[in-house]
Amino acid sequence: MTGPLREREDAHALLTAEAERARAGGGRLVLLRGATGTGRSAVLEAAAAHATHLGLRVLRARCSPDDIALPFSSVLHLLGSVPEFADVGPGDDDRGSAARLWRLLRSYADESPLMVAVDDVHLADEASRRWFVEAARHIDRLPVLLVATERSQYDIDPRPAGLTHALSPSVVRTHTLAPLTDNASADLVRAAFPTASDRWTADCVRAGAGSPLLLHALLDDLDGAPPPTAVPRTCAALYPGSYPAAVSWWLDSAGPATAEVARTLAALEQAERTEQTERAAQAERAASAERAGDAERAGGSERAGGSVARNAVPVPLSLPAPDSGSNRNSNANSNPNSNPGSYSYRDTDTVTEAAQEALPAAEVATDALAALVADASGADPTRVSGWFAAMTRLGVLRPDRAGRPRYAHPLLRDAVLGGWSTARRQDAHRAVAQAMLRRGDHLDAVARQLLGSAPAGLPWALRVLRDAATVAARDARPGDAVRYLRRALQEPLPDDLRQRLLTELGSLEYASADTPAGIPRLAEALDLPAEPRDQVRTAIALGTALVGRGEVRTAVEVLRRLEGRLAGHPDLARALQTASALLSDQDQTVRREAYRWLTDTAERSPELVGASGQALLVRYAATAGDLPAQEAMRRLRTLLTEPADPLAEPFLLGTAAAVAQWADELDEAERLVERGLAGQHPSLLHPMEQALLDTRWDIAAARGAYGTLLAALPEAGRARRTGGSPVNADAHTLLALVETGRTAQARRLADTFDLRDTPDSWELNRFLYARGVLRHTEGDVAGALHDFLECGRRQSARAVHSPVVTPWRTAAAECRLALGNPQEALALATEELRLARVWNTPRTTGRALRVLGRATRGRRGLELGAEAVAVLRDSPAEAELVASLLAHGRQLTAAGERGRGRDHLREGAERAERLGSVRLLTYAEQALRTAGGRRTTPAHTGSGSLTGSERRIAELAADGRTNTEIADLLQVARRTVETHLTSAYRKLGIRRRGELRGVLDD
């Protein structure tokens, strides 16, 4: 596809004027210079056509490197067949030959004015070039216009001097052809495709890179696929392939050194673009999941797998239900610096502070990139910088947001890389990676280049990939870690190292929801020879993954088989026993068997169980209703002081954290959670990691931090088990939505799950309870009762009787009362109070007293209600206290003590508002209206709205203490300090720590 010449009017005017001058008898040399593809030949052809129109005789020659061996080859092509030169060869008399050729040219000029058109004069043989120079010096009085085109482009290898370097400016007119502007390129595109959109046109313009050659070639290839078909990103989609052929010709014209630099830059850029595309795809998947309202999120740091049963700290029910309604590379690899110990990583490009201050950021970025490409390709960095500048001016490269030169279009980049084989590309990626490593580039950048390289058995490459995988896993980028480990496993590895990498890879693949790939990897790792400790890590990871897929018995059998081979390693065997017991929580039958064995072993030989096993037995006794909280914590604190094997310690910490949360020791529980999570290996699947994360959710729920629960939802998701079973996060989210008045959203979440075929698990029981709360709030009391009783049936089958886990009895009792069955309600509440007094914490006891008071009624009921309020006054169970205040307020009002009743209701309303419980606040306001009172205006903002904990922490922060210092002083977790400060800032209407003192003093 050809088109009119664009933006060449100046050249045309110059040549027209010089042609007229030649007709008048005055000759001149006109040199048309320009980069490859700027249209020198097209301008020359247009000038020749115009000269013919003016009556000039046109003599043409196109120089070629193939004719360099023959002296005067270009001149002979120009002047035609001359018999007397048939025998001219190297070493003949050049001076005499030149004179004879000059006489021939003059004879042509005597016949008529001439235009001598020489294309690509830079490719002429040396004798011809000297002849053209001499001719230029003598044609000023002849009717001869000599027009030559010359490639003038900055290359990596410096080119020889041009044709006119020895000529006086008076005998030559030089004109340089500039690249096409974007507007001219767009006109060409629209001329070929009149219906093209602005975006499609702009895409073509960038791919054309200001070169008429490339743009016309692209339009030829797109002729069969006009808009709205997208402009391709790869040359494979082009036909017949004029565009990649043109790019290849451009690179060949530039020489091998320039082509090497161009392709190295393309390989570097391609690796970066691929990474950006993959991350963008991950972000889009995460956004799609969030838009769909799914709790599962891509790229999260949390793992799928089994975890232990813990107290949901459920939202209290309201009382009545509401109304219904290359070689160089080889040399680099042999460099002594290839030793892994001789390299270091850094987070930014190597630029001194002085250079950063002296140079603009874009120039610094460009120089750093030039140094990298030069190092990888073996070129001169100064020449590479110059080439970047030249190509940017031509339009081949365009600066990105950081100012670094990048190919103007992905299609151009792909065409540049098309001249390399796969092996050569891989060599380039390895060379770039090693150059990056030498200068201390960011670890991820080096590893990304290695992803495109071939395995070579280089120690530094393996180290980079492993380190990059560790960093990516630590930074919650499992997708990146998986890619690095897959590439690392392609290297030649000993069995023990392959076993460890396979364990990490399988764990990360499972964590990133690639369950089908993760489990076979872990199984393969378990079959490889390795140290016993590594085998235990692999077995625990595999067991965790199998439980996540619902194969609890298989998981336990895997651990027990390995345990049988560890007779000489009692500590490792105990770790496997603890893991088996923990993982068995997901199946009530396997759980009974596991704890029966654990209990019997502890009675016969306590030393065989270990501290972590003893902790699990404490937890088991607590859930069975056989142990008070104080005694449970005493035992666990003793166990925590004992030395623990690193493999067993996570089980001890996680179990202690769960029991501490049940015991309302929330700060201690939080410290244990953070300590346990800090000890988790970022690349290894472990059941206690999810257990600790679940406990973190439980702690937030126990504090009534509904906003925290809902705000943390995007980061809290994890891969679901087969069949889409609900997890602990779903139950807490459902309860938080109900409590904050978002029942419609809660209903949508609840309807996500079909629980009829859901496999048994403690998380299913947790979700049944939460759905019961939702149904009760919606007015479906019978449906709520069904969920609570089903939850209780399943919990009892697991020997979980204590209300520390799920207080289903009091929830069911409130449903019985609403349905008019007070005797059944009384029995349920009485039994829960009995079990609550065994555990003996304010939360469980106060809740049971409240519901029993409602079921008992009369004077005794009032006493129980008052006792519930008194018990909960100093507990962290703010939601339970609100519910008890409201229930007792209703009792007092019904008993005729309206004043005291309204006081309780008002206090409950104010506390509900501070807590953020829309549901309880709505109920309180309804109860106040029924009691003939109204709520006093609460302090929504200002220092008066702060809770005691918020004020205490805010005052310490105002005194200049750091969050860490406050946490140490108050013996709370740093996260607790941050949560309270965030809430205080919101209530006080400030954004900075320095503003605290002023608003607290108001």
Side-chain angles (χ1 to χ4, degrees):
M1 181 181 296
T2 59
L5 297 180
R6 303 278 177 173
E7 296 183 328
R8 299 297 180 250
E9 293 81 3
D10 291 347
H12 180 70
L14 171 63
L15 292 167
T16 298
E18 293 299 327
E20 292 289 352
R21 186 173 186 273
R23 287 180 65 191
R28 183 106 69 184
L29 167 62
V30 175
L31 183 64
L32 297 176
R33 307 178 72 210
T36 302
T38 50
R40 300 186 313 268
S41 298
V43 173
L44 183 63
E45 287 300 318
H50 185 68
T52 301
H53 177 72
L54 293 176
L56 276 72
R57 181 180 180 183
V58 179
L59 303 179
R60 292 183 175 86
R62 175 166 288 138
C63 303
S64 168
D66 296 336
D67 297 329
I68 287 180
L70 181 65
F72 298 107
S73 174
S74 298
V75 182
L76 291 174
H77 286 306
L78 179 74
L79 298 179
S81 176
V82 181
E84 60 184 295
F85 286 96
D87 298 329
V88 172
D92 288 347
D93 181 12
D94 286 354
R95 186 179 296 274
S97 299
R100 290 193 298 272
L101 288 169
W102 174 250
R103 288 195 297 270
L104 179 60
L105 177 65
R106 290 195 61 165
S107 69
Y108 285 148
D110 290 341
E111 296 175 3
S112 68
L114 295 178
M115 175 182 173
V116 178
V118 183
D119 201 9
D120 291 337
V121 72
H122 55 283
L123 298 177
D125 62 277
E126 189 59 33
S128 293
R129 286 170 60 83
R130 288 196 301 270
W131 189 90
F132 290 136
V133 171
E134 286 301 316
R137 290 193 177 105
H138 297 95
I139 61 173
D140 57 328
R141 296 183 181 180
L142 296 178
V144 177
L145 171 60
L146 174 57
V147 183
T149 68
E150 184 177 65
R151 181 178 180 275
S152 176
Q153 184 170 313
Y154 192 98
D155 294 315
I156 301 302
D157 284 339
R159 291 284 180 175
L163 180 69
T164 62
H165 78 285
L167 289 175
S168 169
S170 63
V171 301
V172 62
R173 297 289 300 275
T174 302
H175 183 84
T176 301
L177 300 178
L180 295 179
T181 64
D182 286 354
N183 287 337
S185 298
D187 289 342
L188 284 172
V189 175
R190 294 191 183 96
F193 299 100
T195 63
S197 67
D198 290 344
R199 183 172 182 178
W200 194 89
T201 299
D203 227 10
C204 288
V205 168
R206 292 181 74 91
S211 166
L213 169 73
L214 297 185
L215 185 57
H216 284 301
L218 175 63
L219 297 178
D220 281 340
D221 284 342
L222 295 178
D223 193 35
T229 304
V231 177
R233 261 41 185 173
T234 63
C235 293
L238 296 178
Y239 181 82
S242 300
Y243 182 83
V247 172
S248 179
W249 182 79
W250 165 64
L251 288 173
D252 289 343
S253 301
T258 301
E260 181 84 2
V261 167
R263 287 171 174 142
T264 301
L265 175 64
L268 175 65
E269 183 181 335
Q270 184 184 53
E272 293 181 356
R273 297 296 187 190
T274 300
E275 182 69 16
Q276 291 171 2
T277 300
E278 290 172 348
R279 293 192 176 180
Q282 291 176 3
E284 177 57 29
R285 287 193 295 270
S288 298
E290 186 172 355
R291 286 193 296 268
D294 194 349
E296 180 179 344
R297 292 294 187 270
S301 63
E302 301 175 6
R303 306 273 171 74
S307 47
V308 298
R310 273 176 301 283
N311 180 16
V313 193
V315 177
L317 289 173
S318 57
L319 307 184
D323 295 336
S324 298
S326 106
N327 288 335
R328 176 189 59 263
N329 298 336
S330 300
N331 294 336
N333 294 336
S334 61
N335 191 301
N337 288 339
S338 297
N339 186 300
S342 65
Y343 292 120
S344 62
Y345 308 127
R346 62 186 170 87
D347 293 332
T348 56
D349 291 336
T350 302
V351 181
T352 64
E353 292 182 4
Q356 287 178 331
E357 293 173 357
L359 296 175
E363 191 172 345
V364 171
T366 300
D367 288 347
L369 180 62
L372 173 61
V373 172
D375 191 0
S377 60
D380 179 355
T382 303
R383 299 292 300 181
V384 174
S385 292
W387 187 80
F388 282 176
M391 293 303 102
T392 301
R393 188 174 186 278
L394 289 176
V396 173
L397 302 178
R398 298 197 180 198
D400 63 8
R401 292 179 180 178
R404 299 175 303 173
R406 290 290 184 263
Y407 281 98
H409 193 274
L411 185 63
L412 177 57
R413 180 181 68 239
D414 188 66
V416 169
L417 276 176
W420 265 356
S421 65
T422 299
R424 188 64 194 86
R425 293 190 193 192
Q426 291 173 335
D427 288 344
H429 283 297
R430 185 180 62 203
V432 170
Q434 193 164 13
M436 285 180 164
L437 192 61
R438 274 195 291 267
R439 69 178 196 166
D441 272 5
H442 192 282
L443 185 59
D444 260 349
V446 182
R448 280 198 300 271
Q449 292 298 324
L450 287 174
L451 292 177
S453 68
L458 301 173
W460 66 266
L462 179 60
R463 182 177 69 86
V464 166
L465 291 165
R466 293 185 65 192
D467 289 351
T470 300
V471 171
R474 183 195 63 201
D475 294 345
R477 294 183 286 113
D480 292 342
V482 164
R483 286 193 292 275
Y484 298 147
L485 286 174
R486 286 174 178 170
R487 172 62 183 81
L489 283 164
Q490 295 174 10
E491 296 286 332
L493 301 170
D495 282 344
D496 58 341
L497 180 54
R498 181 171 296 277
Q499 194 269 354
R500 291 197 295 274
L501 294 185
L502 279 170
T503 301
E504 293 181 19
L505 177 57
S507 297
L508 289 165
E509 285 175 330
Y510 187 90
S512 55
D514 193 1
T515 308
I519 291 178
R521 300 263 195 202
L522 292 168
E524 180 185 354
L526 193 59
D527 288 338
L528 289 174
E531 292 293 325
R533 185 170 294 275
D534 290 332
Q535 288 182 320
V536 170
R537 290 193 181 97
T538 303
I540 291 174
L542 177 57
T544 304
L546 288 169
V547 167
R549 203 166 66 176
E551 300 178 25
V552 180
R553 188 170 292 279
T554 302
V556 173
E557 289 173 356
V558 165
L559 298 182
R560 287 178 178 169
R561 280 199 302 270
L562 179 59
E563 181 187 341
R565 304 200 300 267
L566 296 174
H569 303 275
D571 289 344
L572 299 180
R574 284 195 291 268
L576 286 175
Q577 293 162 6
T578 305
S580 297
L582 183 73
L583 292 173
S584 71
D585 274 342
Q586 297 299 330
D587 183 284
Q588 62 186 29
T589 303
V590 181
R591 183 177 190 270
R592 283 196 301 269
E593 296 171 0
Y595 278 95
R596 184 182 305 117
W597 179 91
L598 195 62
T599 301
D600 293 343
T601 303
E603 291 176 353
R604 294 193 310 270
S605 306
E607 71 280 359
L608 297 180
V609 174
S612 57
Q614 294 286 352
L616 283 179
L617 289 175
V618 170
R619 190 197 69 170
Y620 186 81
T623 59
D626 298 334
L627 195 65
Q630 187 174 1
E631 175 62 18
M633 289 306 300
R634 185 193 66 78
R635 294 184 187 180
L636 287 171
R637 287 169 180 143
T638 300
L639 292 171
L640 285 168
T641 62
E642 297 180 5
D645 185 271
L647 282 176
E649 187 177 38
F651 298 105
L652 177 58
L653 292 173
T655 304
V659 176
Q661 185 266 314
W662 295 339
D664 280 341
E665 300 287 351
L666 302 184
D667 290 338
E668 183 173 356
E670 200 160 37
R671 286 195 298 271
L672 290 167
V673 165
E674 299 308 318
R675 180 180 163 192
L677 289 174
Q680 288 290 311
H681 192 293
S683 302
L684 289 179
L685 194 62
H686 196 287
M688 195 47 76
E689 180 175 10
Q690 186 58 49
L692 289 162
L693 293 169
D694 283 330
T695 300
R696 180 186 283 174
W697 276 79
D698 297 344
I699 293 168
R703 297 188 191 280
Y706 310 119
T708 300
L709 292 171
L710 296 176
L713 181 60
E715 293 81 31
R718 62 181 172 86
R720 299 193 184 286
R721 296 189 176 85
T722 303
S725 303
V727 295
N728 188 43
D730 296 314
H732 280 305
T733 301
L734 190 60
L735 291 169
L737 289 170
V738 170
E739 194 65 15
T740 54
R742 307 174 196 182
T743 53
Q745 190 175 348
R747 171 46 56 193
R748 288 193 295 272
L749 175 59
D751 290 343
T752 303
F753 304 98
D754 184 355
L755 305 185
R756 290 173 295 183
D757 299 322
T758 300
D760 174 66
S761 72
W762 65 269
E763 290 172 304
L764 171 60
N765 302 345
R766 179 75 54 84
F767 193 79
L768 280 169
Y769 179 90
R771 192 177 70 174
V773 173
L774 171 62
R775 284 180 163 178
H776 193 278
T777 303
E778 292 174 326
D780 180 10
V781 181
L785 178 62
H786 174 272
D787 280 345
F788 294 139
L789 293 178
E790 179 63 14
C791 172
R793 183 189 69 78
R794 290 172 174 270
Q795 292 288 70
S796 298
R798 299 166 64 85
V800 177
H801 305 299
S802 175
V804 300
V805 179
T806 44
W808 62 271
R809 293 179 185 82
T810 46
E814 292 192 299
C815 291
R816 293 290 193 194
L817 287 173
L819 294 172
N821 300 315
Q823 292 304 315
E824 296 178 11
L826 185 64
L828 287 166
T830 300
E831 176 61 12
E832 179 142 320
L833 179 59
R834 183 189 70 80
L835 291 167
R837 290 198 186 279
V838 173
W839 184 243
N840 199 27
T841 59
R843 187 187 304 272
T844 54
T845 304
R847 177 186 175 92
L849 286 168
R850 168 173 60 81
V851 178
L852 183 60
R854 289 192 60 227
T856 303
R857 300 182 183 179
R859 178 55 56 184
R860 178 56 180 161
L862 281 171
E863 293 172 355
L864 292 171
E867 185 180 356
V869 172
V871 165
L872 290 164
R873 280 286 182 194
D874 296 324
S875 82
E878 185 72 8
E880 292 294 352
L881 174 58
V882 171
S884 295
L885 284 167
L886 300 181
H888 193 47
R890 287 286 300 267
Q891 287 178 308
L892 291 170
T893 301
E897 299 184 44
R898 302 175 68 84
R900 288 181 60 204
R902 286 194 293 267
D903 289 342
H904 279 70
L905 294 174
R906 287 192 188 97
E907 182 185 357
E910 292 171 6
R911 287 178 176 271
E913 185 169 44
R914 287 199 299 268
L915 187 64
S917 175
V918 175
R919 184 181 64 85
L920 288 175
L921 177 60
T922 301
Y923 172 71
E925 291 174 338
Q926 292 174 348
L928 273 170
R929 285 194 296 270
T930 302
R934 62 180 180 179
R935 186 160 59 100
T936 57
T937 303
H940 296 279
T941 60
S943 59
S945 66
L946 300 180
T947 65
S949 297
E950 289 169 348
R951 173 171 284 280
R952 183 166 61 254
I953 290 173
E955 288 175 344
L956 290 170
D959 289 338
R961 297 182 184 270
T962 66
N963 290 357
T964 301
E965 290 172 341
I966 297 171
D968 292 341
L969 182 65
L970 300 180
Q971 292 297 297
V972 298
R974 177 171 174 164
R975 180 182 294 272
T976 302
V977 175
E978 293 168 351
T979 300
H980 284 316
L981 276 177
T982 300
S983 178
Y985 286 175
R986 176 179 54 81
K987 292 179 180 180
L988 296 172
I990 62 174
R991 301 180 64 181
R992 298 181 183 86
R993 206 181 195 91
E995 301 176 68
L996 276 170
R997 176 53 59 199
V999 293
L1000 289 174
D1001 291 340
D1002 290 344

